[in-house]
Amino acid sequence: MELIEIKKMRTKQIAVTNGLLLSALIFYFILVSYLHITFTGFFLVMGAIILIQAIASILKGDSTKSFIPIFEKVSNYEKEKMGIEWRRQRKMSSIWNILLSGWMFLQSYWSRDSSDPILIDVTFTILFIIFITAIINISLITHIRKIDRSTSVSDIKGYTWKSSLVAVVVGLGFGLVIFVLTILYVMSDLG
């Protein structure tokens, strides 16, 4: 694949990913605002969606088929470029999705007695959307650079484990930042 074609493909990938992400987040906040969804319902639905995605990925195996053409093209390119590391990355992604799904189901169970609907604060929501979008874009761009700049399969050896370790550290940091910001925001409303 030529460098110009790769750049076009990656630009489309980033644009489609951001479009889907923003659409999903906006759709979620509209649903929560108008349907008065409880935490139990939210965690249950998110757990089910993530579990379905994990199962679909496992059943898909090594197939690169996707109903979004740009993602299929990216998968074919990365599968060819990464070799066995591509399969490892897919398996690791499925494992993380199963763990995340379990966490969502556990959250749903813990909040089962709560009938309070999720309340949306516009300022907090906008900041949250910006923060999530930034984290996902940084992660995506880092991944793209690593893959596109590699010249052989040996350059990518161990990439899955290293990126998973970084994701755990960043995720824990992200969780801590969100926790602290939420506490500070709630306390500022009380004062």
Side-chain angles (χ1 to χ4, degrees):
M1 198 178 274
E2 296 292 323
L3 185 61
I4 294 171
E5 190 178 354
I6 292 170
K7 285 186 178 186
K8 284 181 183 178
M9 176 187 71
R10 292 303 195 178
T11 303
K12 285 181 186 176
Q13 177 190 11
I14 291 169
V16 170
T17 300
N18 280 302
L20 289 172
L21 173 65
L22 291 174
S23 298
L25 287 170
I26 290 168
F27 181 70
Y28 159 72
F29 287 114
I30 289 171
L31 276 179
V32 167
S33 297
Y34 291 108
L35 295 181
H36 306 293
I37 295 173
T38 64
F39 283 104
T40 305
F42 166 73
F43 288 125
L44 191 61
V45 169
M46 287 302 295
I49 289 171
I50 295 168
L51 183 61
I52 289 168
Q53 183 180 4
I55 291 169
S57 178
I58 290 168
L59 293 176
K60 196 171 165 182
D62 286 349
S63 174
T64 58
K65 294 288 183 202
S66 175
F67 62 92
I68 301 173
I70 190 63
F71 292 152
E72 185 173 341
K73 188 174 184 178
V74 167
S75 287
N76 285 327
Y77 167 73
E78 288 185 357
K79 183 178 182 180
E80 181 182 321
K81 186 129 186 184
M82 294 174 71
I84 190 107
E85 205 64 37
W86 182 84
R87 288 173 192 80
R88 287 183 184 141
Q89 189 177 33
R90 294 279 299 257
K91 286 178 186 176
M92 186 61 75
S93 175
S94 296
I95 290 168
W96 280 118
N97 279 343
I98 289 169
L99 292 173
L100 183 60
S101 172
W103 177 251
M104 291 292 171
F105 288 135
L106 191 59
Q107 292 289 330
S108 176
Y109 177 75
W110 285 337
S111 65
R112 69 188 179 283
D113 295 331
S114 173
S115 59
D116 297 333
I118 298 173
L119 300 175
I120 299 294
D121 181 280
V122 176
T123 306
F124 187 77
T125 301
I126 289 171
L127 290 174
F128 187 75
I129 288 173
I130 290 169
F131 200 60
I132 290 285
T133 304
I135 292 289
I136 289 175
N137 277 294
I138 290 167
S139 171
L140 183 60
I141 289 168
T142 303
H143 171 77
I144 287 171
R145 284 188 176 171
K146 177 65 176 175
I147 302 305
D148 291 352
R149 290 181 179 176
S150 67
T151 55
S152 69
V153 176
S154 64
D155 290 346
I156 303 173
K157 188 173 182 175
Y159 172 70
T160 301
W161 292 108
K162 291 173 190 170
S163 63
S164 291
L165 183 61
V166 169
V168 167
V169 171
V170 169
L172 289 173
F174 173 69
L176 182 64
V177 167
I178 290 294
F179 177 75
V180 169
L181 290 176
T182 302
I183 296 298
L184 292 173
Y185 187 76
V186 168
M187 292 185 74
S188 72
D189 278 354
L190 295 176

